[in-house]
Amino acid sequence: MRLPIPRRLLAVGAAAVAAIALAPAPAHAAGYFGAQFDDLTMGAGGAPGKVYPLYVFGEDVTDGKVVLDLTALDGIAKVSFPGPDGEKCKVADKTATCAFADGGVDSIISVLLQPLAGATEGATAEVPVTTSSADNEPYTVNTKVTVKSGADLIVLDQGKYDQDAKIGDDVSMPMVVGNVGDKAAPSLSFTFSFTHGITPVEYEECEYAVWDEAQGTHVYCTLPIEGGLGPNEAVEIEGGFQGRIAADTSTFERGTSIVDVGDDLPAQARTRMGFAERGSGKHLKLVPATLPSQRTARVVEIDTRDNWADSSWNIKTPFDLAAIGADLAGGVGDTVTAKLGVKNTGPSSSNSVSSGEPILMFGITVPEWAKLVGVPKQCEAIEKVGDGYEGRGSKPGYTYYHCWNQSYFFGAGETYTLDFKFEITGDSGADGVSTLTPIGRWEPWSDANNANNEAKIAHAGGGLPVTGVQVGLIAGVGGALVALGVVVFTMARRRRMPVELS
């Protein structure tokens, strides 16, 4: 789902911005040749025009061509191909033809549409897009063009990835906005979301709320523009939106933002999410910027659902997870409950917001002198089959288990525990293990202190448990402290961050 903010602020889901960027063309079998030109909305007459992406892809292509029939755009829009794309794509009469060299094709062609007098509110046109090659029959798909009058905002600086930073550094998120519509925008609203390790500056023009899932911060700012942001004009936040790397940052942190025509934050969202002012006397300021010429520079269309910018930072900071085991006190035939798990000994936190996957994965090996009779729902039995392993669901009686923490954030000093019920079946045999490298994992877990990546599940007989950082008891008497073995999922660092504003 794509995220229009703020108009649909109340309806945003957990993965609202997971796909806010234009998706690359899908992969296909060898010999395939195709094109993708998505339905689009363009400005009315008076708008400066903008570029839309035409994706072209194929393998082992011979004499590949893409032809756009522009007949229906006559009087509505002038079509051209700015920059280097003008070498391979030519417009003649009411047809645009792009020819490609033999071999593999993986191109994004810039298609510039400039509104003409016939581009009035509500006008539509169908543009047939035909691909052909020596090895493929011609194939045509229509692209619908719709004309809409109004402000059309695009984000010109979409952020920087993998910036190096250290604890205490001041960082900034750029925001440069242009208007390629035919009407002025009287003000702009910005929604920023920062993961836990970025502490945003508290500006007078903004309201703030806790981003629960990532223990980060949502920020909503409305900035008026004297005289409005007119067609073919651009502004930027002076110096960008500022933040600071926190002491308990993870090794990877992220910020994302979306801009829209300015609206006040809906009262229901303010109440439900806890937005509040935190003014510190500092101000956000918009200053004029330059809108690149549509004839010489590609500006990928960013519609009201895709007005985004995204930045990330890599921070060198130690990170250590410690597996937690247990000493089970009881005799043969007794059933005891053990809290097994993992502790984040710090000093950094961890988040998996970018991947959208569970932050922790861990494993246990059941002791030979016991059997597991009560399995947490967050765990799955693993059985060795041939040279590999297969999951068997949350069933008791197996030797190996994988378990997960479904949250996006694991803070420094936090523990994660699950309750396991063991029946003691004997008084001899190998002890069990709580581990950060569960059976079948493709590579060993490694962090700042690998000595604590495993902890025993031992038998203490009828006596008292041994205690320590990695040891917890759960016998019939008394409770336990500790949590099940865990592994942090590797982040897919360039996936869009889920913005949880629901």
Side-chain angles (χ1 to χ4, degrees), residues 3-5 7 17 20-21 151-156 158 175 177-178 188-191 256-261 300-310:
L3 175 67
I5 292 180
R7 296 186 181 86
V17 186
I20 57 178
D152 191 357
L153 303 178
I154 58 173
V155 173
L156 301 171
Q158 293 180 340
M175 178 54 74
V177 181
L188 300 178
S189 63
F190 300 89
T191 302
T256 190
S257 64
I258 296 176
V259 62
D260 204 343
V261 175
V300 176
E301 158 60 3
I302 308 295
D303 63 22
T304 55
R305 296 167 298 172
D306 292 337
N307 297 0
W308 59 271
D310 195 1

PDB file of all heavy atoms in Angstrom, residues 3-5 7 17 20-21 151-156 158 175 177-178 188-191 256-261 300-310:
ATOM      1  N   LEU A   3       1.429   5.458   0.507  1.00  0.00           N
ATOM      2  CA  LEU A   3       1.042   6.323   1.593  1.00  0.00           C
ATOM      3  C   LEU A   3       0.843   7.767   1.182  1.00  0.00           C
ATOM      4  O   LEU A   3       1.780   8.492   0.962  1.00  0.00           O
ATOM      5  CB  LEU A   3       2.126   6.270   2.666  1.00  0.00           C
ATOM      6  CG  LEU A   3       1.941   7.211   3.848  1.00  0.00           C
ATOM      7  CD1 LEU A   3       0.734   6.780   4.629  1.00  0.00           C
ATOM      8  CD2 LEU A   3       3.169   7.188   4.731  1.00  0.00           C
ATOM      9  N   PRO A   4      -0.416   8.216   1.040  1.00  0.00           N
ATOM     10  CA  PRO A   4      -0.647   9.634   0.842  1.00  0.00           C
ATOM     11  C   PRO A   4      -0.760  10.314   2.189  1.00  0.00           C
ATOM     12  O   PRO A   4      -1.627   9.974   2.970  1.00  0.00           O
ATOM     13  CB  PRO A   4      -1.978   9.691   0.101  1.00  0.00           C
ATOM     14  CG  PRO A   4      -2.610   8.361   0.325  1.00  0.00           C
ATOM     15  CD  PRO A   4      -1.601   7.445   0.929  1.00  0.00           C
ATOM     16  N   ILE A   5       0.109  11.256   2.471  1.00  0.00           N
ATOM     17  CA  ILE A   5       0.080  11.960   3.749  1.00  0.00           C
ATOM     18  C   ILE A   5      -0.089  13.440   3.436  1.00  0.00           C
ATOM     19  O   ILE A   5       0.545  13.949   2.539  1.00  0.00           O
ATOM     20  CB  ILE A   5       1.382  11.740   4.533  1.00  0.00           C
ATOM     21  CG1 ILE A   5       1.462  10.277   4.985  1.00  0.00           C
ATOM     22  CG2 ILE A   5       1.446  12.647   5.733  1.00  0.00           C
ATOM     23  CD1 ILE A   5       2.706   9.979   5.766  1.00  0.00           C
ATOM     24  N   ARG A   7      -3.538  13.343   3.855  1.00  0.00           N
ATOM     25  CA  ARG A   7      -4.962  13.137   3.645  1.00  0.00           C
ATOM     26  C   ARG A   7      -5.460  11.797   4.131  1.00  0.00           C
ATOM     27  O   ARG A   7      -6.594  11.635   4.500  1.00  0.00           O
ATOM     28  CB  ARG A   7      -5.295  13.308   2.160  1.00  0.00           C
ATOM     29  CG  ARG A   7      -5.040  14.733   1.663  1.00  0.00           C
ATOM     30  CD  ARG A   7      -5.531  14.896   0.238  1.00  0.00           C
ATOM     31  NE  ARG A   7      -5.274  16.245  -0.231  1.00  0.00           N
ATOM     32  CZ  ARG A   7      -4.141  16.633  -0.782  1.00  0.00           C
ATOM     33  NH1 ARG A   7      -3.147  15.779  -0.911  1.00  0.00           N
ATOM     34  NH2 ARG A   7      -3.977  17.869  -1.196  1.00  0.00           N
ATOM     35  N   VAL A  17       4.856   2.538   3.584  1.00  0.00           N
ATOM     36  CA  VAL A  17       5.805   3.112   2.649  1.00  0.00           C
ATOM     37  C   VAL A  17       6.785   2.056   2.194  1.00  0.00           C
ATOM     38  O   VAL A  17       7.872   2.349   1.726  1.00  0.00           O
ATOM     39  CB  VAL A  17       6.527   4.297   3.300  1.00  0.00           C
ATOM     40  CG1 VAL A  17       7.427   5.012   2.316  1.00  0.00           C
ATOM     41  CG2 VAL A  17       5.507   5.297   3.794  1.00  0.00           C
ATOM     42  N   ILE A  20       7.293   2.823  -1.719  1.00  0.00           N
ATOM     43  CA  ILE A  20       6.995   4.140  -2.233  1.00  0.00           C
ATOM     44  C   ILE A  20       7.847   4.519  -3.432  1.00  0.00           C
ATOM     45  O   ILE A  20       7.528   5.447  -4.138  1.00  0.00           O
ATOM     46  CB  ILE A  20       7.139   5.213  -1.132  1.00  0.00           C
ATOM     47  CG1 ILE A  20       8.533   5.185  -0.538  1.00  0.00           C
ATOM     48  CG2 ILE A  20       6.117   5.062  -0.066  1.00  0.00           C
ATOM     49  CD1 ILE A  20       8.753   6.243   0.514  1.00  0.00           C
ATOM     50  N   ALA A  21       8.925   3.809  -3.665  1.00  0.00           N
ATOM     51  CA  ALA A  21       9.734   4.100  -4.848  1.00  0.00           C
ATOM     52  C   ALA A  21       9.166   3.378  -6.052  1.00  0.00           C
ATOM     53  O   ALA A  21       8.486   2.378  -5.927  1.00  0.00           O
ATOM     54  CB  ALA A  21      11.174   3.656  -4.623  1.00  0.00           C
ATOM     55  N   ALA A 151      -1.671  21.685  -7.833  1.00  0.00           N
ATOM     56  CA  ALA A 151      -0.251  21.622  -7.512  1.00  0.00           C
ATOM     57  C   ALA A 151       0.212  20.173  -7.644  1.00  0.00           C
ATOM     58  O   ALA A 151      -0.509  19.242  -7.323  1.00  0.00           O
ATOM     59  CB  ALA A 151      -0.008  22.116  -6.090  1.00  0.00           C
ATOM     60  N   ASP A 152       1.413  19.982  -8.145  1.00  0.00           N
ATOM     61  CA  ASP A 152       1.984  18.640  -8.293  1.00  0.00           C
ATOM     62  C   ASP A 152       3.407  18.679  -7.748  1.00  0.00           C
ATOM     63  O   ASP A 152       4.320  19.186  -8.388  1.00  0.00           O
ATOM     64  CB  ASP A 152       1.973  18.225  -9.765  1.00  0.00           C
ATOM     65  CG  ASP A 152       2.311  16.758  -9.940  1.00  0.00           C
ATOM     66  OD1 ASP A 152       2.600  16.088  -8.931  1.00  0.00           O
ATOM     67  OD2 ASP A 152       2.293  16.281 -11.086  1.00  0.00           O
ATOM     68  N   LEU A 153       3.567  18.162  -6.552  1.00  0.00           N
ATOM     69  CA  LEU A 153       4.847  18.261  -5.862  1.00  0.00           C
ATOM     70  C   LEU A 153       5.751  17.092  -6.215  1.00  0.00           C
ATOM     71  O   LEU A 153       5.312  15.955  -6.324  1.00  0.00           O
ATOM     72  CB  LEU A 153       4.627  18.295  -4.350  1.00  0.00           C
ATOM     73  CG  LEU A 153       3.715  19.406  -3.832  1.00  0.00           C
ATOM     74  CD1 LEU A 153       3.539  19.284  -2.326  1.00  0.00           C
ATOM     75  CD2 LEU A 153       4.261  20.779  -4.201  1.00  0.00           C
ATOM     76  N   ILE A 154       7.010  17.397  -6.400  1.00  0.00           N
ATOM     77  CA  ILE A 154       8.023  16.363  -6.592  1.00  0.00           C
ATOM     78  C   ILE A 154       9.179  16.635  -5.637  1.00  0.00           C
ATOM     79  O   ILE A 154       9.484  17.786  -5.330  1.00  0.00           O
ATOM     80  CB  ILE A 154       8.550  16.310  -8.042  1.00  0.00           C
ATOM     81  CG1 ILE A 154       9.150  17.647  -8.460  1.00  0.00           C
ATOM     82  CG2 ILE A 154       7.456  15.886  -9.004  1.00  0.00           C
ATOM     83  CD1 ILE A 154       9.829  17.612  -9.810  1.00  0.00           C
ATOM     84  N   VAL A 155       9.777  15.579  -5.125  1.00  0.00           N
ATOM     85  CA  VAL A 155      10.947  15.708  -4.261  1.00  0.00           C
ATOM     86  C   VAL A 155      12.191  15.582  -5.128  1.00  0.00           C
ATOM     87  O   VAL A 155      12.381  14.577  -5.817  1.00  0.00           O
ATOM     88  CB  VAL A 155      10.939  14.646  -3.154  1.00  0.00           C
ATOM     89  CG1 VAL A 155      12.241  14.681  -2.370  1.00  0.00           C
ATOM     90  CG2 VAL A 155       9.764  14.874  -2.221  1.00  0.00           C
ATOM     91  N   LEU A 156      13.015  16.608  -5.112  1.00  0.00           N
ATOM     92  CA  LEU A 156      14.160  16.675  -6.027  1.00  0.00           C
ATOM     93  C   LEU A 156      15.418  16.048  -5.443  1.00  0.00           C
ATOM     94  O   LEU A 156      16.297  15.626  -6.186  1.00  0.00           O
ATOM     95  CB  LEU A 156      14.428  18.137  -6.391  1.00  0.00           C
ATOM     96  CG  LEU A 156      13.256  18.852  -7.067  1.00  0.00           C
ATOM     97  CD1 LEU A 156      13.544  20.338  -7.185  1.00  0.00           C
ATOM     98  CD2 LEU A 156      12.991  18.251  -8.436  1.00  0.00           C
ATOM     99  N   GLN A 158      16.306  13.006  -3.113  1.00  0.00           N
ATOM    100  CA  GLN A 158      15.672  11.875  -2.458  1.00  0.00           C
ATOM    101  C   GLN A 158      16.574  11.200  -1.426  1.00  0.00           C
ATOM    102  O   GLN A 158      16.377  10.052  -1.067  1.00  0.00           O
ATOM    103  CB  GLN A 158      15.183  10.875  -3.506  1.00  0.00           C
ATOM    104  CG  GLN A 158      14.051  11.486  -4.337  1.00  0.00           C
ATOM    105  CD  GLN A 158      13.521  10.545  -5.392  1.00  0.00           C
ATOM    106  OE1 GLN A 158      14.183   9.599  -5.785  1.00  0.00           O
ATOM    107  NE2 GLN A 158      12.314  10.813  -5.848  1.00  0.00           N
ATOM    108  N   MET A 175      15.523  18.034   2.143  1.00  0.00           N
ATOM    109  CA  MET A 175      14.180  18.043   1.580  1.00  0.00           C
ATOM    110  C   MET A 175      14.085  19.221   0.622  1.00  0.00           C
ATOM    111  O   MET A 175      14.046  20.379   1.025  1.00  0.00           O
ATOM    112  CB  MET A 175      13.133  18.155   2.679  1.00  0.00           C
ATOM    113  CG  MET A 175      11.693  18.218   2.163  1.00  0.00           C
ATOM    114  SD  MET A 175      11.210  16.862   1.055  1.00  0.00           S
ATOM    115  CE  MET A 175      11.057  15.510   2.207  1.00  0.00           C
ATOM    116  N   VAL A 177      11.814  20.494  -2.663  1.00  0.00           N
ATOM    117  CA  VAL A 177      10.497  20.233  -3.242  1.00  0.00           C
ATOM    118  C   VAL A 177      10.228  21.193  -4.388  1.00  0.00           C
ATOM    119  O   VAL A 177      10.424  22.406  -4.257  1.00  0.00           O
ATOM    120  CB  VAL A 177       9.389  20.384  -2.181  1.00  0.00           C
ATOM    121  CG1 VAL A 177       8.021  20.075  -2.788  1.00  0.00           C
ATOM    122  CG2 VAL A 177       9.658  19.493  -0.982  1.00  0.00           C
ATOM    123  N   GLY A 178       9.787  20.646  -5.525  1.00  0.00           N
ATOM    124  CA  GLY A 178       9.383  21.461  -6.658  1.00  0.00           C
ATOM    125  C   GLY A 178       7.913  21.269  -6.971  1.00  0.00           C
ATOM    126  O   GLY A 178       7.314  20.257  -6.611  1.00  0.00           O
ATOM    127  N   LEU A 188       3.199  23.717   2.717  1.00  0.00           N
ATOM    128  CA  LEU A 188       3.653  22.337   2.594  1.00  0.00           C
ATOM    129  C   LEU A 188       3.605  21.658   3.954  1.00  0.00           C
ATOM    130  O   LEU A 188       3.892  22.269   4.980  1.00  0.00           O
ATOM    131  CB  LEU A 188       5.086  22.289   2.063  1.00  0.00           C
ATOM    132  CG  LEU A 188       5.349  22.920   0.691  1.00  0.00           C
ATOM    133  CD1 LEU A 188       6.845  22.822   0.359  1.00  0.00           C
ATOM    134  CD2 LEU A 188       4.519  22.263  -0.388  1.00  0.00           C
ATOM    135  N   SER A 189       3.248  20.374   3.949  1.00  0.00           N
ATOM    136  CA  SER A 189       3.330  19.580   5.173  1.00  0.00           C
ATOM    137  C   SER A 189       4.351  18.472   4.958  1.00  0.00           C
ATOM    138  O   SER A 189       4.445  17.903   3.866  1.00  0.00           O
ATOM    139  CB  SER A 189       1.970  18.996   5.542  1.00  0.00           C
ATOM    140  OG  SER A 189       1.519  18.095   4.550  1.00  0.00           O
ATOM    141  N   PHE A 190       5.105  18.173   5.991  1.00  0.00           N
ATOM    142  CA  PHE A 190       6.150  17.156   5.930  1.00  0.00           C
ATOM    143  C   PHE A 190       5.919  16.146   7.045  1.00  0.00           C
ATOM    144  O   PHE A 190       5.662  16.519   8.193  1.00  0.00           O
ATOM    145  CB  PHE A 190       7.541  17.775   6.111  1.00  0.00           C
ATOM    146  CG  PHE A 190       7.892  18.801   5.078  1.00  0.00           C
ATOM    147  CD1 PHE A 190       7.577  20.132   5.257  1.00  0.00           C
ATOM    148  CD2 PHE A 190       8.548  18.416   3.908  1.00  0.00           C
ATOM    149  CE1 PHE A 190       7.912  21.088   4.311  1.00  0.00           C
ATOM    150  CE2 PHE A 190       8.887  19.362   2.951  1.00  0.00           C
ATOM    151  CZ  PHE A 190       8.569  20.694   3.148  1.00  0.00           C
ATOM    152  N   THR A 191       6.022  14.878   6.717  1.00  0.00           N
ATOM    153  CA  THR A 191       5.994  13.821   7.716  1.00  0.00           C
ATOM    154  C   THR A 191       7.345  13.120   7.696  1.00  0.00           C
ATOM    155  O   THR A 191       7.734  12.553   6.673  1.00  0.00           O
ATOM    156  CB  THR A 191       4.881  12.802   7.439  1.00  0.00           C
ATOM    157  OG1 THR A 191       3.620  13.477   7.413  1.00  0.00           O
ATOM    158  CG2 THR A 191       4.854  11.730   8.520  1.00  0.00           C
ATOM    159  N   THR A 256      12.971   8.722   6.920  1.00  0.00           N
ATOM    160  CA  THR A 256      12.206   8.860   5.685  1.00  0.00           C
ATOM    161  C   THR A 256      11.261  10.043   5.821  1.00  0.00           C
ATOM    162  O   THR A 256      10.910  10.442   6.933  1.00  0.00           O
ATOM    163  CB  THR A 256      11.411   7.577   5.365  1.00  0.00           C
ATOM    164  OG1 THR A 256      10.862   7.669   4.046  1.00  0.00           O
ATOM    165  CG2 THR A 256      10.288   7.356   6.356  1.00  0.00           C
ATOM    166  N   SER A 257      10.873  10.634   4.730  1.00  0.00           N
ATOM    167  CA  SER A 257       9.969  11.779   4.787  1.00  0.00           C
ATOM    168  C   SER A 257       9.064  11.805   3.571  1.00  0.00           C
ATOM    169  O   SER A 257       9.394  11.268   2.515  1.00  0.00           O
ATOM    170  CB  SER A 257      10.760  13.089   4.867  1.00  0.00           C
ATOM    171  OG  SER A 257      11.529  13.271   3.695  1.00  0.00           O
ATOM    172  N   ILE A 258       7.912  12.432   3.764  1.00  0.00           N
ATOM    173  CA  ILE A 258       6.929  12.586   2.689  1.00  0.00           C
ATOM    174  C   ILE A 258       6.395  14.008   2.762  1.00  0.00           C
ATOM    175  O   ILE A 258       6.181  14.549   3.846  1.00  0.00           O
ATOM    176  CB  ILE A 258       5.788  11.564   2.843  1.00  0.00           C
ATOM    177  CG1 ILE A 258       6.329  10.147   2.698  1.00  0.00           C
ATOM    178  CG2 ILE A 258       4.690  11.806   1.810  1.00  0.00           C
ATOM    179  CD1 ILE A 258       5.309   9.060   2.922  1.00  0.00           C
ATOM    180  N   VAL A 259       6.191  14.616   1.598  1.00  0.00           N
ATOM    181  CA  VAL A 259       5.683  15.977   1.538  1.00  0.00           C
ATOM    182  C   VAL A 259       4.330  15.976   0.835  1.00  0.00           C
ATOM    183  O   VAL A 259       4.064  15.154  -0.040  1.00  0.00           O
ATOM    184  CB  VAL A 259       6.670  16.910   0.797  1.00  0.00           C
ATOM    185  CG1 VAL A 259       6.871  16.477  -0.650  1.00  0.00           C
ATOM    186  CG2 VAL A 259       6.200  18.365   0.858  1.00  0.00           C
ATOM    187  N   ASP A 260       3.470  16.898   1.256  1.00  0.00           N
ATOM    188  CA  ASP A 260       2.172  17.062   0.611  1.00  0.00           C
ATOM    189  C   ASP A 260       1.791  18.532   0.689  1.00  0.00           C
ATOM    190  O   ASP A 260       2.441  19.316   1.401  1.00  0.00           O
ATOM    191  CB  ASP A 260       1.113  16.190   1.300  1.00  0.00           C
ATOM    192  CG  ASP A 260      -0.055  15.849   0.374  1.00  0.00           C
ATOM    193  OD1 ASP A 260      -0.209  16.540  -0.663  1.00  0.00           O
ATOM    194  OD2 ASP A 260      -0.811  14.922   0.679  1.00  0.00           O
ATOM    195  N   VAL A 261       0.744  18.902  -0.039  1.00  0.00           N
ATOM    196  CA  VAL A 261       0.205  20.254   0.105  1.00  0.00           C
ATOM    197  C   VAL A 261      -0.245  20.402   1.555  1.00  0.00           C
ATOM    198  O   VAL A 261      -0.890  19.515   2.114  1.00  0.00           O
ATOM    199  CB  VAL A 261      -0.964  20.478  -0.861  1.00  0.00           C
ATOM    200  CG1 VAL A 261      -1.591  21.846  -0.628  1.00  0.00           C
ATOM    201  CG2 VAL A 261      -0.478  20.360  -2.303  1.00  0.00           C
ATOM    202  N   VAL A 300      12.066  11.972 -11.959  1.00  0.00           N
ATOM    203  CA  VAL A 300      11.069  10.906 -11.975  1.00  0.00           C
ATOM    204  C   VAL A 300       9.807  11.400 -11.295  1.00  0.00           C
ATOM    205  O   VAL A 300       9.844  12.020 -10.246  1.00  0.00           O
ATOM    206  CB  VAL A 300      11.601   9.654 -11.251  1.00  0.00           C
ATOM    207  CG1 VAL A 300      10.534   8.583 -11.171  1.00  0.00           C
ATOM    208  CG2 VAL A 300      12.815   9.120 -11.994  1.00  0.00           C
ATOM    209  N   GLU A 301       8.681  11.141 -11.900  1.00  0.00           N
ATOM    210  CA  GLU A 301       7.408  11.598 -11.368  1.00  0.00           C
ATOM    211  C   GLU A 301       7.173  11.072  -9.957  1.00  0.00           C
ATOM    212  O   GLU A 301       7.306   9.892  -9.686  1.00  0.00           O
ATOM    213  CB  GLU A 301       6.273  11.128 -12.288  1.00  0.00           C
ATOM    214  CG  GLU A 301       4.906  11.057 -11.642  1.00  0.00           C
ATOM    215  CD  GLU A 301       4.389  12.375 -11.087  1.00  0.00           C
ATOM    216  OE1 GLU A 301       5.059  13.385 -11.250  1.00  0.00           O
ATOM    217  OE2 GLU A 301       3.316  12.390 -10.493  1.00  0.00           O
ATOM    218  N   ILE A 302       6.874  11.981  -9.061  1.00  0.00           N
ATOM    219  CA  ILE A 302       6.508  11.637  -7.700  1.00  0.00           C
ATOM    220  C   ILE A 302       5.095  12.153  -7.487  1.00  0.00           C
ATOM    221  O   ILE A 302       4.884  13.347  -7.354  1.00  0.00           O
ATOM    222  CB  ILE A 302       7.454  12.276  -6.666  1.00  0.00           C
ATOM    223  CG1 ILE A 302       8.898  11.975  -7.008  1.00  0.00           C
ATOM    224  CG2 ILE A 302       7.116  11.837  -5.273  1.00  0.00           C
ATOM    225  CD1 ILE A 302       9.254  10.518  -6.917  1.00  0.00           C
ATOM    226  N   ASP A 303       4.100  11.253  -7.475  1.00  0.00           N
ATOM    227  CA  ASP A 303       2.727  11.723  -7.336  1.00  0.00           C
ATOM    228  C   ASP A 303       2.409  11.890  -5.864  1.00  0.00           C
ATOM    229  O   ASP A 303       3.268  11.785  -5.010  1.00  0.00           O
ATOM    230  CB  ASP A 303       1.744  10.792  -8.053  1.00  0.00           C
ATOM    231  CG  ASP A 303       1.717   9.391  -7.464  1.00  0.00           C
ATOM    232  OD1 ASP A 303       2.101   9.229  -6.294  1.00  0.00           O
ATOM    233  OD2 ASP A 303       1.302   8.463  -8.174  1.00  0.00           O
ATOM    234  N   THR A 304       1.132  12.155  -5.536  1.00  0.00           N
ATOM    235  CA  THR A 304       0.783  12.472  -4.160  1.00  0.00           C
ATOM    236  C   THR A 304       1.009  11.292  -3.229  1.00  0.00           C
ATOM    237  O   THR A 304       1.024  11.452  -2.010  1.00  0.00           O
ATOM    238  CB  THR A 304      -0.698  12.897  -4.067  1.00  0.00           C
ATOM    239  OG1 THR A 304      -1.520  11.871  -4.634  1.00  0.00           O
ATOM    240  CG2 THR A 304      -0.924  14.197  -4.807  1.00  0.00           C
ATOM    241  N   ARG A 305       1.207  10.100  -3.759  1.00  0.00           N
ATOM    242  CA  ARG A 305       1.503   8.943  -2.919  1.00  0.00           C
ATOM    243  C   ARG A 305       3.003   8.690  -2.814  1.00  0.00           C
ATOM    244  O   ARG A 305       3.430   7.861  -2.004  1.00  0.00           O
ATOM    245  CB  ARG A 305       0.823   7.692  -3.493  1.00  0.00           C
ATOM    246  CG  ARG A 305      -0.696   7.770  -3.500  1.00  0.00           C
ATOM    247  CD  ARG A 305      -1.292   6.672  -4.357  1.00  0.00           C
ATOM    248  NE  ARG A 305      -0.870   6.817  -5.743  1.00  0.00           N
ATOM    249  CZ  ARG A 305      -1.120   5.903  -6.687  1.00  0.00           C
ATOM    250  NH1 ARG A 305      -1.744   4.800  -6.378  1.00  0.00           N
ATOM    251  NH2 ARG A 305      -0.724   6.113  -7.927  1.00  0.00           N
ATOM    252  N   ASP A 306       3.793   9.368  -3.615  1.00  0.00           N
ATOM    253  CA  ASP A 306       5.212   9.017  -3.706  1.00  0.00           C
ATOM    254  C   ASP A 306       6.140  10.209  -3.507  1.00  0.00           C
ATOM    255  O   ASP A 306       7.226  10.241  -4.079  1.00  0.00           O
ATOM    256  CB  ASP A 306       5.495   8.396  -5.081  1.00  0.00           C
ATOM    257  CG  ASP A 306       4.833   7.042  -5.231  1.00  0.00           C
ATOM    258  OD1 ASP A 306       4.559   6.403  -4.205  1.00  0.00           O
ATOM    259  OD2 ASP A 306       4.588   6.633  -6.364  1.00  0.00           O
ATOM    260  N   ASN A 307       5.715  11.193  -2.734  1.00  0.00           N
ATOM    261  CA  ASN A 307       6.566  12.375  -2.534  1.00  0.00           C
ATOM    262  C   ASN A 307       7.545  12.119  -1.399  1.00  0.00           C
ATOM    263  O   ASN A 307       7.462  12.699  -0.339  1.00  0.00           O
ATOM    264  CB  ASN A 307       5.709  13.593  -2.209  1.00  0.00           C
ATOM    265  CG  ASN A 307       4.782  13.951  -3.340  1.00  0.00           C
ATOM    266  OD1 ASN A 307       4.769  13.303  -4.373  1.00  0.00           O
ATOM    267  ND2 ASN A 307       3.992  14.985  -3.150  1.00  0.00           N
ATOM    268  N   TRP A 308       8.523  11.271  -1.656  1.00  0.00           N
ATOM    269  CA  TRP A 308       9.345  10.746  -0.564  1.00  0.00           C
ATOM    270  C   TRP A 308      10.809  11.132  -0.669  1.00  0.00           C
ATOM    271  O   TRP A 308      11.311  11.472  -1.742  1.00  0.00           O
ATOM    272  CB  TRP A 308       9.253   9.219  -0.546  1.00  0.00           C
ATOM    273  CG  TRP A 308       9.700   8.604  -1.843  1.00  0.00           C
ATOM    274  CD1 TRP A 308       8.927   8.336  -2.931  1.00  0.00           C
ATOM    275  CD2 TRP A 308      11.025   8.212  -2.205  1.00  0.00           C
ATOM    276  NE1 TRP A 308       9.682   7.795  -3.939  1.00  0.00           N
ATOM    277  CE2 TRP A 308      10.976   7.699  -3.527  1.00  0.00           C
ATOM    278  CE3 TRP A 308      12.241   8.214  -1.531  1.00  0.00           C
ATOM    279  CZ2 TRP A 308      12.108   7.211  -4.181  1.00  0.00           C
ATOM    280  CZ3 TRP A 308      13.365   7.733  -2.190  1.00  0.00           C
ATOM    281  CH2 TRP A 308      13.279   7.242  -3.506  1.00  0.00           C
ATOM    282  N   ALA A 309      11.452  11.072   0.455  1.00  0.00           N
ATOM    283  CA  ALA A 309      12.912  11.133   0.516  1.00  0.00           C
ATOM    284  C   ALA A 309      13.347  10.133   1.582  1.00  0.00           C
ATOM    285  O   ALA A 309      12.605   9.842   2.518  1.00  0.00           O
ATOM    286  CB  ALA A 309      13.403  12.533   0.858  1.00  0.00           C
ATOM    287  N   ASP A 310      14.542   9.617   1.444  1.00  0.00           N
ATOM    288  CA  ASP A 310      14.975   8.519   2.304  1.00  0.00           C
ATOM    289  C   ASP A 310      16.483   8.608   2.501  1.00  0.00           C
ATOM    290  O   ASP A 310      17.222   8.753   1.532  1.00  0.00           O
ATOM    291  CB  ASP A 310      14.604   7.205   1.622  1.00  0.00           C
ATOM    292  CG  ASP A 310      14.677   6.011   2.545  1.00  0.00           C
ATOM    293  OD1 ASP A 310      14.994   6.198   3.732  1.00  0.00           O
ATOM    294  OD2 ASP A 310      14.424   4.887   2.073  1.00  0.00           O
TER     295      ASP A 310
END
